[in-house]
Amino acid sequence: MDTLSTGSLSGAQKEELMDQVKQQIAIANAQELLTKMSEKCFKKCISKPGTSLDNSEQKCIAMCMDRYMDAWNLVSRTYSSRIQRERNM
Amino acid sequence: MSENESADPQLENFILAETQKQRFQVLVHGLTDTCWDTCMGRPSTRLDSKTEVCIMNCVERFIDATTFITKRLMNTTKYRSDSPLEFQ
């Protein structure tokens, strides 16, 4: 790995850099989630696109988003306990 | 940058930890995508237990399948990393 030339950074500058990195990562993850949710919930809820997003489609999308989040969290928990289990083996 | 100048250990640890966390997140995004397609019917007011079990099994078996494929590929001399890939 290339070394970082950061010898001249002050403590406060380092904190700022780390905060920026964290923020960028959070944005990237939110974008990924947005892309997946749009793709999945469009497929589930809009079979025949009409002239507007009607009420039942909106309700379906809202529910789908919540379930996608549930699924995401469940996958995250399951995967993380699997990692934990394999580490203890 | 001269060779004996080493990286800032605090930043290096930070980057290592964040990289690892992000690798995990990327995998969760991918697994959710795959297991949603495999397990999800019509979205309702909550994830029912059948879907929950399906998602948990889906994650576990996906990891098993990846491990299996990795091992089998490593045992196949055709795919050794020191030679270029050959498709037959």
Side-chain angles (χ1 to χ4, degrees), chain A:
Chain A
M1 195 194 271
D2 284 340
T3 46
L4 295 162
S5 180
T6 52
S8 53
L9 286 186
S10 72
Q13 281 173 320
K14 261 195 272 181
E15 288 295 326
E16 203 189 318
L17 180 64
M18 288 192 285
D19 278 349
Q20 271 178 19
V21 170
K22 279 191 173 174
Q23 215 179 357
Q24 302 260 342
I25 293 173
I27 291 171
N29 279 317
Q31 270 172 347
E32 180 69 12
L33 190 64
L34 179 66
T35 308
K36 298 257 165 163
M37 263 183 184
S38 304
E39 180 200 324
K40 301 296 178 194
C41 296
F42 183 85
K43 264 192 206 161
K44 285 265 185 242
C45 299
I46 297 155
S47 45
K48 277 192 195 140
T51 48
S52 70
L53 204 60
D54 68 38
N55 229 312
S56 67
E57 286 170 337
Q58 286 183 27
K59 259 189 209 149
C60 175
I61 290 174
M63 205 138 68
C64 175
M65 288 171 70
D66 293 345
R67 296 300 78 74
Y68 198 81
M69 249 0 278
D70 289 346
W72 202 97
N73 289 328
L74 179 59
V75 167
S76 174
R77 285 200 303 275
T78 310
Y79 181 39
S80 125
S81 66
R82 169 81 180 238
I83 294 171
Q84 211 61 45
R85 226 167 44 232
E86 297 203 340
R87 218 171 259 162
N88 296 335
M89 265 182 4

Side-chain angles (χ1 to χ4, degrees), chain B residues 34-70:
Chain B
T34 304
C35 296
W36 174 272
D37 289 345
T38 307
C39 299
M40 201 60 192
R42 192 113 192 116
S44 60
T45 48
R46 52 181 287 274
L47 269 195
D48 57 61
S49 59
K50 207 180 85 209
T51 310
E52 276 189 0
V53 172
C54 178
I55 289 175
M56 288 191 281
N57 285 336
C58 171
V59 170
E60 298 280 356
R61 295 302 80 71
F62 188 90
I63 298 167
D64 289 346
T66 307
T67 312
F68 177 85
I69 290 166
T70 309

